[in-house]
Amino acid sequence: MTILLVLIPLGVFLLGIAIALFVWAVRNGQFEDLEGEGSRILFEDPPRRQSVPPIAPGEVP
Amino acid sequence: MSVAAVAPLPEVCFHCGLLVPDGLLLSARVLGESRSMCCIGCRAAAEMLEAQGLSDWYRRRASLPGSAARTLDSIRDENSPLEAPEIEASFLTADGSGSRSAGLLVEGLSCAACIWVIESHLGGLVGVEGVRIALPERRVVVDFHPDRTSLRDVVLRLAEIGFASRPDRPSEAAALEREENRTALIRLGVSGLGAMNVMSYAMGLYVGAFDGIEAGSVALMRWMGFLVATPVVAYAGRPFFEAAWRELKVRRPGMDVPVALAIGGAYLVSVYATVFDVGEVYFESICMFIFFLGLGRYLEQRIRQRACSLSRSLAESSPTIARRQDLDAERVVPADRLIVGDRFRVRPGETIAADGRVLEGESAVQEALLTGEPWPRSVARDAVVVAGSVNIGSPLLVEATRVGDQTTLASILRLALRAQSERSPVARLADRVGSIFVVAVLAVALANFLVWWWIAPEQAIWTTLSVLVATCPCALGLALPAATAATTHALARGGLLVTRAGVLEELARADRFVFDKTGTLTEGEPQLVDVRIAGPLDGEAVDTARALEIARALERDSEHPIARALRRPQPGERVRQAREIVADVRAYPGLGVKGVVGGHVYRIGRPEWALASEVEPSDRVERLRDRFESGGTSRTSPSLAGDRDTEASLVSVLLSCDGVPLAWLDFEDPVRPEAAPALEALRHAGMSLEMLSGDPSAGAEGVAHALGLETFVRGALPEEKVDRVQALTRAGHRVVVVGDGVNDGPVLRAGDVSIAMGSGCDLSRLGASAVLLRDDLSLLPQAVEAARKMRRIAGQNVAWAIGYNLAVLPLAVSGHLPPWLAALGMSASSLVVVLNALRGNRLPSEEERR
């Protein structure tokens, strides 16, 4: 049963990773909107935005 | 109510309700008639529906899409204050990179398709850098580059696709709330994940206890349990300790004290057992308990917060601006910059920014927000106007007499907020019972310890622990929150948002419903119900369509409720483009509108005024009325004519041409279609019903009779309504008040439960303990049923929890219950309670209610 000495600490280590990931996800706003995101797969890809060159200093737009 | 800005009179697309551009001739045959369309897309859609045999949809849809009522022009006007940099800046937050972000509250944001439309449409606007949408809060956050676009452009861009939006001031409270929610979610995650792991070690120990296990392994499991449970207790369990500490500090021990005691005690004993390798460990019970209790509280809190933010956000955010009249010029300033004595102008359609006195101008103001009555009040020089009412006539110059916190509106708001923070009687009772329970448990545990110390000191600590664990009020602590959370959630999905704790308990005990009339039992907006032709025009009789056309042309630019009712297309009617050119349109507040069409002077308004050129107007009016009331000369189609007997709340205006009466137009505020069955269902549920109306007209009586309400009061002042409700409560009734206006605020607070209509004014929702999101009265009987079911479930839960605790207490005291078995029983008991509560997660169906 000495394998337990490896497996259980390993489990605790994985638990730490899981909690870290969860904290990251919450802080990143992944759980803010649980209704809308589910349907996102049905959307078309957004159209390419026309890239407007940034206005250079001194240039009159 | 906000949808009713200046609307066009126009030809609108039959499919989508948008304006048909001038000169565009597109049409499709739908429902056997040719209908105009605003674009090829709509025509294609309409033709497809027709071809598939689905055109019945046009008959079934309740109304045209809301966007039709708003034009881009009106939205441009409304948002013109945003051009002022000072105003715009107050809505923006800056980040480091030079871009700004603004929050917008969007009306009608309801599904994923809206998200897609908004994201792609706003994304196409030059200068927009990012769009984030929170569907539950109906909020859109836009990041944009201030040099390339502006907040106003964003609002207009949204308006283009039919979404009315209002900029929302960045609020620190909201940010704080979000941070709290995130922390709560993390605590929940930590306790959940921790509980699973500790449980797996505990399973090893359980099995090992029967099948044999090496002492080393036992020690390993225990130390690992200690390692994982410690952060769970210290981090996830912290709110319970803090709450218990607060309760002790105010000397009012509630449920959190025994909870904290159980967690803390079990943890300390487990640590002692681990370190000295004696007795049992309870790490898994602690973690599971923290997780379940945290989950219940988190869910309930989230639903309540969402309800509050929905009702609050709109009220707080309306961009209140004032056009201050300075010596040199007119300046647009935020409303809270006004000081007493400032003069400000209010254009038609704008909200009045402060309480004040009219200096110049004659107009009418809509005070529905404050009084609940749909009819505007006319004001002239020296009249008093209050903040929050809308000027619907002509421009006014007002001198501010009370500003900011001093306004009538602000004081109502404060009352509402205070009501919100008070605890319900049931919650207080639960707290008291909890306190007694706690004291009893502690006394029993102490007595047990002393007795065992005397008999057998080495057993004392373990039996005491058994007593503490066995009587741990975990299940009791979960009994009410779990049931409340499940039912609150079910109701929220159905469309009733509960904003306060304790509301469901009160609702379950209620035996009397008190309804407001206008806007609650009725729609709250007058509708055209009849057009009766009064006389010939140019020798030949006018038809109703022609009369309507002239009336609409006259009322085209008015904000009066009657004008709005006129502009709404009648069922089955196709609104034609106004061909009439109306000259010299002039509105006379409180009287009507006059205009010249084709050389004739037309008037629409109060009968005596419309016939003003006549010698004996009032007499004539009486005669005319008599003729039509009795004569039945109505030539309108049956679909336009209602049942005349019940329509005492009728308001009739007269259209006249050069003083000759042309047609009577009858308006009334119709009863909501679902009101009658909903009230019947409530009566069936044993409620007595009552209507309190501020409307003094016989119309109130008509509504009461139509709905079979025997008890009703009409013409009641707000104070009288409060007195009535208080008298009912004193007589031992538990009263639910349903209302919609700010004027209902006081009476809403007087009831044990208050329910506000979702379309009612934002401020009434603030004071209400629940909000009907969809304005559907038929949810009320469902809510009552759900609340009663919840109370049954909570009762079962409490009975179970207390019964279990009492049953095992003798075993624990006598030393026959080892602590590990006590812990197992405690977990099982909690699980039973949670599973039972989940039954409330479904609204009672129609059949069950019968």
Short mmCIF file of all heavy atoms in Angstrom, two decimals, chain B residues 463-522:
data_model
loop_
_atom_site.label_atom_id
_atom_site.label_comp_id
_atom_site.label_asym_id
_atom_site.label_seq_id
_atom_site.Cartn_x
_atom_site.Cartn_y
_atom_site.Cartn_z
N THR B 463 -18.37 11.62 24.19
CA THR B 463 -19.84 11.69 24.20
C THR B 463 -20.30 13.12 23.95
O THR B 463 -21.27 13.35 23.24
CB THR B 463 -20.43 11.20 25.53
OG1 THR B 463 -19.83 11.94 26.59
CG2 THR B 463 -20.21 9.72 25.74
N THR B 464 -19.57 14.08 24.52
CA THR B 464 -19.95 15.47 24.29
C THR B 464 -19.87 15.80 22.81
O THR B 464 -20.75 16.46 22.24
CB THR B 464 -19.03 16.41 25.08
OG1 THR B 464 -19.01 15.98 26.43
CG2 THR B 464 -19.52 17.84 24.99
N LEU B 465 -18.82 15.29 22.20
CA LEU B 465 -18.68 15.53 20.77
C LEU B 465 -19.83 14.90 20.01
O LEU B 465 -20.41 15.50 19.08
CB LEU B 465 -17.34 14.96 20.29
CG LEU B 465 -17.07 15.27 18.83
CD1 LEU B 465 -16.89 16.76 18.65
CD2 LEU B 465 -15.86 14.53 18.34
N SER B 466 -20.16 13.67 20.40
CA SER B 466 -21.29 12.99 19.76
C SER B 466 -22.55 13.83 19.88
O SER B 466 -23.32 13.98 18.94
CB SER B 466 -21.53 11.61 20.38
OG SER B 466 -20.56 10.72 19.92
N VAL B 467 -22.75 14.38 21.07
CA VAL B 467 -23.95 15.20 21.28
C VAL B 467 -23.92 16.41 20.35
O VAL B 467 -24.90 16.73 19.67
CB VAL B 467 -24.04 15.65 22.76
CG1 VAL B 467 -25.11 16.72 22.92
CG2 VAL B 467 -24.34 14.46 23.64
N LEU B 468 -22.76 17.05 20.31
CA LEU B 468 -22.65 18.25 19.46
C LEU B 468 -22.89 17.91 18.00
O LEU B 468 -23.59 18.61 17.28
CB LEU B 468 -21.26 18.89 19.63
CG LEU B 468 -21.16 19.94 20.72
CD1 LEU B 468 -19.75 20.49 20.78
CD2 LEU B 468 -22.15 21.07 20.48
N VAL B 469 -22.29 16.80 17.55
CA VAL B 469 -22.44 16.43 16.14
C VAL B 469 -23.86 15.98 15.85
O VAL B 469 -24.46 16.36 14.85
CB VAL B 469 -21.42 15.33 15.77
CG1 VAL B 469 -21.67 14.84 14.36
CG2 VAL B 469 -20.01 15.86 15.89
N ALA B 470 -24.40 15.16 16.78
CA ALA B 470 -25.75 14.63 16.54
C ALA B 470 -26.78 15.75 16.52
O ALA B 470 -27.72 15.73 15.72
CB ALA B 470 -26.12 13.63 17.63
N THR B 471 -26.59 16.73 17.38
CA THR B 471 -27.56 17.82 17.42
C THR B 471 -27.14 18.98 16.54
O THR B 471 -27.74 20.04 16.56
CB THR B 471 -27.73 18.34 18.85
OG1 THR B 471 -26.43 18.72 19.32
CG2 THR B 471 -28.35 17.32 19.75
N CYS B 472 -26.10 18.76 15.78
CA CYS B 472 -25.63 19.82 14.89
C CYS B 472 -26.80 20.27 14.02
O CYS B 472 -27.46 19.44 13.38
CB CYS B 472 -24.51 19.34 14.00
SG CYS B 472 -24.26 20.39 12.58
N PRO B 473 -27.08 21.54 14.00
CA PRO B 473 -28.26 22.01 13.28
C PRO B 473 -28.01 22.14 11.79
O PRO B 473 -28.60 23.00 11.14
CB PRO B 473 -28.51 23.38 13.92
CG PRO B 473 -27.16 23.83 14.33
CD PRO B 473 -26.34 22.62 14.63
N CYS B 474 -27.14 21.29 11.24
CA CYS B 474 -26.83 21.41 9.82
C CYS B 474 -28.10 21.29 8.99
O CYS B 474 -28.41 22.14 8.16
CB CYS B 474 -25.88 20.32 9.39
SG CYS B 474 -24.40 20.31 10.36
N ALA B 475 -28.83 20.20 9.23
CA ALA B 475 -30.03 19.97 8.44
C ALA B 475 -31.04 21.09 8.70
O ALA B 475 -31.67 21.60 7.77
CB ALA B 475 -30.64 18.62 8.79
N LEU B 476 -31.10 21.52 9.94
CA LEU B 476 -32.02 22.59 10.28
C LEU B 476 -31.59 23.89 9.58
O LEU B 476 -32.41 24.65 9.06
CB LEU B 476 -32.04 22.79 11.80
CG LEU B 476 -33.15 23.68 12.34
CD1 LEU B 476 -34.50 23.12 11.98
CD2 LEU B 476 -33.00 23.86 13.83
N GLY B 477 -30.26 24.09 9.57
CA GLY B 477 -29.75 25.28 8.89
C GLY B 477 -30.04 25.27 7.41
O GLY B 477 -30.22 26.31 6.78
N LEU B 478 -30.08 24.09 6.83
CA LEU B 478 -30.32 23.96 5.39
C LEU B 478 -31.81 23.98 5.07
O LEU B 478 -32.20 24.27 3.94
CB LEU B 478 -29.73 22.66 4.86
CG LEU B 478 -28.23 22.63 4.61
CD1 LEU B 478 -27.79 21.20 4.34
CD2 LEU B 478 -27.87 23.52 3.45
N ALA B 479 -32.63 23.63 6.08
CA ALA B 479 -34.04 23.36 5.80
C ALA B 479 -34.72 24.49 5.05
O ALA B 479 -35.32 24.29 3.99
CB ALA B 479 -34.78 23.08 7.11
N LEU B 480 -34.60 25.71 5.57
CA LEU B 480 -35.30 26.83 4.96
C LEU B 480 -34.56 27.37 3.72
O LEU B 480 -35.18 27.51 2.66
CB LEU B 480 -35.50 27.92 6.02
CG LEU B 480 -36.62 28.91 5.72
CD1 LEU B 480 -37.94 28.20 5.57
CD2 LEU B 480 -36.69 29.95 6.82
N PRO B 481 -33.25 27.63 3.81
CA PRO B 481 -32.56 28.18 2.63
C PRO B 481 -32.67 27.29 1.41
O PRO B 481 -32.88 27.78 0.29
CB PRO B 481 -31.11 28.30 3.08
CG PRO B 481 -31.12 28.26 4.54
CD PRO B 481 -32.35 27.53 4.94
N ALA B 482 -32.56 25.99 1.58
CA ALA B 482 -32.60 25.10 0.42
C ALA B 482 -33.97 25.16 -0.24
O ALA B 482 -34.08 25.29 -1.47
CB ALA B 482 -32.29 23.67 0.85
N ALA B 483 -35.01 25.11 0.58
CA ALA B 483 -36.36 25.16 0.01
C ALA B 483 -36.61 26.51 -0.65
O ALA B 483 -37.16 26.59 -1.75
CB ALA B 483 -37.39 24.92 1.12
N THR B 484 -36.17 27.59 0.00
CA THR B 484 -36.38 28.92 -0.56
C THR B 484 -35.63 29.07 -1.88
O THR B 484 -36.17 29.59 -2.85
CB THR B 484 -35.88 30.00 0.42
OG1 THR B 484 -36.29 29.65 1.72
CG2 THR B 484 -36.43 31.35 0.05
N ALA B 485 -34.38 28.61 -1.91
CA ALA B 485 -33.58 28.77 -3.12
C ALA B 485 -34.22 28.06 -4.29
O ALA B 485 -34.35 28.61 -5.39
CB ALA B 485 -32.16 28.24 -2.88
N ALA B 486 -34.67 26.81 -4.05
CA ALA B 486 -35.25 26.04 -5.15
C ALA B 486 -36.51 26.72 -5.69
O ALA B 486 -36.69 26.87 -6.90
CB ALA B 486 -35.57 24.62 -4.67
N THR B 487 -37.37 27.18 -4.79
CA THR B 487 -38.62 27.79 -5.23
C THR B 487 -38.38 29.16 -5.85
O THR B 487 -38.99 29.51 -6.87
CB THR B 487 -39.60 27.91 -4.05
OG1 THR B 487 -39.69 26.63 -3.42
CG2 THR B 487 -40.96 28.35 -4.51
N THR B 488 -37.49 29.95 -5.26
CA THR B 488 -37.17 31.25 -5.84
C THR B 488 -36.69 31.09 -7.27
O THR B 488 -37.08 31.85 -8.16
CB THR B 488 -36.07 31.94 -5.01
OG1 THR B 488 -36.41 31.90 -3.65
CG2 THR B 488 -35.91 33.38 -5.43
N HIS B 489 -35.86 30.09 -7.47
CA HIS B 489 -35.33 29.84 -8.81
C HIS B 489 -36.45 29.47 -9.77
O HIS B 489 -36.52 29.99 -10.87
CB HIS B 489 -34.30 28.72 -8.72
CG HIS B 489 -33.65 28.42 -10.02
ND1 HIS B 489 -32.90 29.36 -10.69
CD2 HIS B 489 -33.65 27.31 -10.79
CE1 HIS B 489 -32.47 28.83 -11.82
NE2 HIS B 489 -32.91 27.59 -11.91
N ALA B 490 -37.32 28.58 -9.33
CA ALA B 490 -38.42 28.17 -10.20
C ALA B 490 -39.30 29.36 -10.57
O ALA B 490 -39.70 29.52 -11.72
CB ALA B 490 -39.26 27.08 -9.51
N LEU B 491 -39.57 30.22 -9.61
CA LEU B 491 -40.42 31.38 -9.87
C LEU B 491 -39.72 32.36 -10.80
O LEU B 491 -40.35 32.97 -11.67
CB LEU B 491 -40.80 32.07 -8.57
CG LEU B 491 -41.89 31.37 -7.76
CD1 LEU B 491 -42.10 32.06 -6.44
CD2 LEU B 491 -43.20 31.34 -8.55
N ALA B 492 -38.43 32.53 -10.62
CA ALA B 492 -37.68 33.46 -11.46
C ALA B 492 -37.75 33.00 -12.92
O ALA B 492 -37.89 33.81 -13.84
CB ALA B 492 -36.23 33.56 -11.00
N ARG B 493 -37.64 31.70 -13.13
CA ARG B 493 -37.75 31.19 -14.50
C ARG B 493 -39.13 31.45 -15.06
O ARG B 493 -39.31 31.71 -16.23
CB ARG B 493 -37.44 29.70 -14.54
CG ARG B 493 -36.00 29.41 -14.87
CD ARG B 493 -35.82 27.92 -14.91
NE ARG B 493 -36.62 27.33 -13.81
CZ ARG B 493 -36.66 26.06 -13.54
NH1 ARG B 493 -35.97 25.22 -14.23
NH2 ARG B 493 -37.40 25.61 -12.54
N GLY B 494 -40.14 31.38 -14.19
CA GLY B 494 -41.50 31.64 -14.64
C GLY B 494 -41.78 33.11 -14.88
O GLY B 494 -42.70 33.45 -15.60
N GLY B 495 -41.00 34.00 -14.29
CA GLY B 495 -41.19 35.43 -14.53
C GLY B 495 -41.53 36.24 -13.29
O GLY B 495 -41.87 37.40 -13.40
N LEU B 496 -41.45 35.64 -12.12
CA LEU B 496 -41.67 36.41 -10.89
C LEU B 496 -40.34 36.48 -10.14
O LEU B 496 -39.83 35.46 -9.70
CB LEU B 496 -42.73 35.76 -10.01
CG LEU B 496 -43.06 36.56 -8.75
CD1 LEU B 496 -44.07 37.65 -9.05
CD2 LEU B 496 -43.59 35.67 -7.66
N LEU B 497 -39.82 37.70 -10.04
CA LEU B 497 -38.54 37.85 -9.37
C LEU B 497 -38.77 38.26 -7.93
O LEU B 497 -39.43 39.25 -7.66
CB LEU B 497 -37.70 38.91 -10.06
CG LEU B 497 -37.20 38.57 -11.45
CD1 LEU B 497 -36.39 39.71 -12.01
CD2 LEU B 497 -36.36 37.31 -11.40
N VAL B 498 -38.24 37.48 -7.03
CA VAL B 498 -38.37 37.80 -5.61
C VAL B 498 -37.15 38.59 -5.20
O VAL B 498 -36.02 38.17 -5.43
CB VAL B 498 -38.47 36.50 -4.78
CG1 VAL B 498 -38.45 36.82 -3.31
CG2 VAL B 498 -39.73 35.76 -5.14
N THR B 499 -37.37 39.78 -4.64
CA THR B 499 -36.22 40.65 -4.36
C THR B 499 -35.78 40.63 -2.92
O THR B 499 -34.79 41.22 -2.59
CB THR B 499 -36.54 42.11 -4.73
OG1 THR B 499 -37.69 42.50 -4.00
CG2 THR B 499 -36.82 42.26 -6.20
N ARG B 500 -36.53 40.00 -2.07
CA ARG B 500 -36.18 40.05 -0.65
C ARG B 500 -36.33 38.70 -0.01
O ARG B 500 -37.12 37.87 -0.47
CB ARG B 500 -37.11 41.01 0.07
CG ARG B 500 -36.46 42.35 0.31
CD ARG B 500 -37.39 43.19 1.11
NE ARG B 500 -38.12 44.07 0.24
CZ ARG B 500 -39.20 44.71 0.64
NH1 ARG B 500 -39.68 44.51 1.82
NH2 ARG B 500 -39.79 45.53 -0.17
N ALA B 501 -35.65 38.51 1.09
CA ALA B 501 -35.79 37.25 1.82
C ALA B 501 -37.13 37.24 2.54
O ALA B 501 -37.68 38.29 2.87
CB ALA B 501 -34.65 37.11 2.83
N GLY B 502 -37.66 36.08 2.76
CA GLY B 502 -38.86 35.99 3.57
C GLY B 502 -40.16 36.22 2.83
O GLY B 502 -41.24 36.06 3.40
N VAL B 503 -40.07 36.62 1.55
CA VAL B 503 -41.28 36.95 0.81
C VAL B 503 -42.15 35.71 0.56
O VAL B 503 -43.37 35.75 0.69
CB VAL B 503 -40.91 37.59 -0.55
CG1 VAL B 503 -42.12 37.71 -1.43
CG2 VAL B 503 -40.27 38.94 -0.33
N LEU B 504 -41.48 34.60 0.26
CA LEU B 504 -42.24 33.40 -0.08
C LEU B 504 -43.01 32.87 1.13
O LEU B 504 -44.15 32.42 1.00
CB LEU B 504 -41.30 32.32 -0.62
CG LEU B 504 -40.73 32.67 -1.99
CD1 LEU B 504 -39.66 31.67 -2.39
CD2 LEU B 504 -41.85 32.68 -3.02
N GLU B 505 -42.41 32.96 2.31
CA GLU B 505 -43.12 32.52 3.51
C GLU B 505 -44.39 33.35 3.69
O GLU B 505 -45.46 32.83 3.99
CB GLU B 505 -42.25 32.68 4.76
CG GLU B 505 -41.08 31.73 4.83
CD GLU B 505 -39.82 32.40 4.32
OE1 GLU B 505 -39.92 33.12 3.31
OE2 GLU B 505 -38.76 32.22 4.93
N GLU B 506 -44.22 34.67 3.50
CA GLU B 506 -45.38 35.55 3.66
C GLU B 506 -46.44 35.24 2.62
O GLU B 506 -47.64 35.22 2.92
CB GLU B 506 -44.94 37.02 3.51
CG GLU B 506 -44.04 37.51 4.61
CD GLU B 506 -44.83 37.85 5.85
OE1 GLU B 506 -46.07 37.79 5.80
OE2 GLU B 506 -44.19 38.15 6.88
N LEU B 507 -45.99 35.00 1.39
CA LEU B 507 -46.93 34.73 0.31
C LEU B 507 -47.72 33.45 0.62
O LEU B 507 -48.91 33.35 0.33
CB LEU B 507 -46.16 34.59 -1.00
CG LEU B 507 -46.97 34.60 -2.27
CD1 LEU B 507 -47.74 35.91 -2.39
CD2 LEU B 507 -46.06 34.45 -3.48
N ALA B 508 -47.05 32.47 1.21
CA ALA B 508 -47.73 31.22 1.51
C ALA B 508 -48.81 31.40 2.57
O ALA B 508 -49.80 30.69 2.59
CB ALA B 508 -46.70 30.19 1.99
N ARG B 509 -48.63 32.39 3.45
CA ARG B 509 -49.61 32.60 4.52
C ARG B 509 -50.69 33.58 4.11
O ARG B 509 -51.65 33.78 4.85
CB ARG B 509 -48.93 33.19 5.74
CG ARG B 509 -47.99 32.26 6.43
CD ARG B 509 -46.88 33.08 7.05
NE ARG B 509 -46.13 32.27 8.00
CZ ARG B 509 -46.22 32.44 9.30
NH1 ARG B 509 -46.99 33.37 9.79
NH2 ARG B 509 -45.53 31.68 10.10
N ALA B 510 -50.50 34.26 2.97
CA ALA B 510 -51.41 35.34 2.60
C ALA B 510 -52.83 34.82 2.43
O ALA B 510 -53.05 33.67 2.06
CB ALA B 510 -50.95 35.98 1.30
N ASP B 511 -53.79 35.67 2.77
CA ASP B 511 -55.18 35.28 2.54
C ASP B 511 -55.96 36.38 1.83
O ASP B 511 -57.15 36.27 1.63
CB ASP B 511 -55.87 34.90 3.86
CG ASP B 511 -55.91 36.08 4.83
OD1 ASP B 511 -55.29 37.12 4.52
OD2 ASP B 511 -56.54 35.95 5.88
N ARG B 512 -55.27 37.48 1.48
CA ARG B 512 -56.00 38.56 0.84
C ARG B 512 -55.11 39.25 -0.18
O ARG B 512 -53.95 39.54 0.11
CB ARG B 512 -56.45 39.57 1.90
CG ARG B 512 -57.59 40.40 1.43
CD ARG B 512 -58.15 41.24 2.57
NE ARG B 512 -59.32 41.95 2.11
CZ ARG B 512 -60.56 41.54 2.29
NH1 ARG B 512 -60.78 40.43 2.94
NH2 ARG B 512 -61.57 42.23 1.82
N PHE B 513 -55.68 39.49 -1.35
CA PHE B 513 -54.95 40.22 -2.38
C PHE B 513 -55.61 41.58 -2.56
O PHE B 513 -56.83 41.68 -2.66
CB PHE B 513 -55.00 39.48 -3.72
CG PHE B 513 -53.84 38.57 -3.95
CD1 PHE B 513 -53.73 37.39 -3.24
CD2 PHE B 513 -52.85 38.89 -4.87
CE1 PHE B 513 -52.66 36.54 -3.44
CE2 PHE B 513 -51.78 38.04 -5.07
CZ PHE B 513 -51.67 36.86 -4.36
N VAL B 514 -54.81 42.62 -2.62
CA VAL B 514 -55.33 43.96 -2.90
C VAL B 514 -54.68 44.44 -4.19
O VAL B 514 -53.46 44.43 -4.32
CB VAL B 514 -55.00 44.93 -1.75
CG1 VAL B 514 -55.40 46.34 -2.13
CG2 VAL B 514 -55.72 44.51 -0.48
N PHE B 515 -55.52 44.81 -5.15
CA PHE B 515 -55.00 45.22 -6.45
C PHE B 515 -55.19 46.70 -6.67
O PHE B 515 -56.21 47.28 -6.27
CB PHE B 515 -55.74 44.50 -7.59
CG PHE B 515 -55.45 43.04 -7.65
CD1 PHE B 515 -56.28 42.13 -7.00
CD2 PHE B 515 -54.37 42.57 -8.36
CE1 PHE B 515 -56.02 40.77 -7.06
CE2 PHE B 515 -54.10 41.22 -8.43
CZ PHE B 515 -54.93 40.33 -7.78
N ASP B 516 -54.23 47.30 -7.33
CA ASP B 516 -54.42 48.63 -7.87
C ASP B 516 -55.15 48.43 -9.19
O ASP B 516 -55.14 47.33 -9.74
CB ASP B 516 -53.04 49.27 -8.10
CG ASP B 516 -53.13 50.57 -8.85
OD1 ASP B 516 -53.91 51.42 -8.42
OD2 ASP B 516 -52.41 50.72 -9.84
N LYS B 517 -55.81 49.47 -9.70
CA LYS B 517 -56.53 49.26 -10.96
C LYS B 517 -55.65 49.59 -12.18
O LYS B 517 -55.25 48.70 -12.92
CB LYS B 517 -57.81 50.08 -11.01
CG LYS B 517 -58.59 49.85 -12.30
CD LYS B 517 -59.85 50.69 -12.38
CE LYS B 517 -59.57 52.15 -12.62
NZ LYS B 517 -59.47 52.54 -14.00
N THR B 518 -55.38 50.90 -12.32
CA THR B 518 -54.72 51.35 -13.54
C THR B 518 -53.34 50.73 -13.67
O THR B 518 -52.51 50.87 -12.78
CB THR B 518 -54.59 52.88 -13.54
OG1 THR B 518 -55.83 53.41 -13.12
CG2 THR B 518 -54.21 53.39 -14.90
N GLY B 519 -53.10 50.06 -14.77
CA GLY B 519 -51.78 49.51 -15.01
C GLY B 519 -51.57 48.15 -14.36
O GLY B 519 -50.60 47.47 -14.65
N THR B 520 -52.45 47.76 -13.46
CA THR B 520 -52.28 46.46 -12.81
C THR B 520 -53.36 45.51 -13.31
O THR B 520 -53.06 44.51 -13.97
CB THR B 520 -52.37 46.62 -11.28
OG1 THR B 520 -51.41 47.58 -10.87
CG2 THR B 520 -52.09 45.31 -10.62
N LEU B 521 -54.61 45.84 -13.00
CA LEU B 521 -55.70 45.03 -13.55
C LEU B 521 -55.98 45.43 -15.00
O LEU B 521 -56.44 44.63 -15.81
CB LEU B 521 -56.96 45.19 -12.71
CG LEU B 521 -56.89 44.55 -11.33
CD1 LEU B 521 -58.15 44.84 -10.54
CD2 LEU B 521 -56.67 43.05 -11.43
N THR B 522 -55.69 46.69 -15.31
CA THR B 522 -55.87 47.14 -16.70
C THR B 522 -54.51 47.36 -17.33
O THR B 522 -53.49 47.29 -16.67
CB THR B 522 -56.66 48.46 -16.74
OG1 THR B 522 -55.85 49.48 -16.16
CG2 THR B 522 -57.96 48.36 -15.98
#
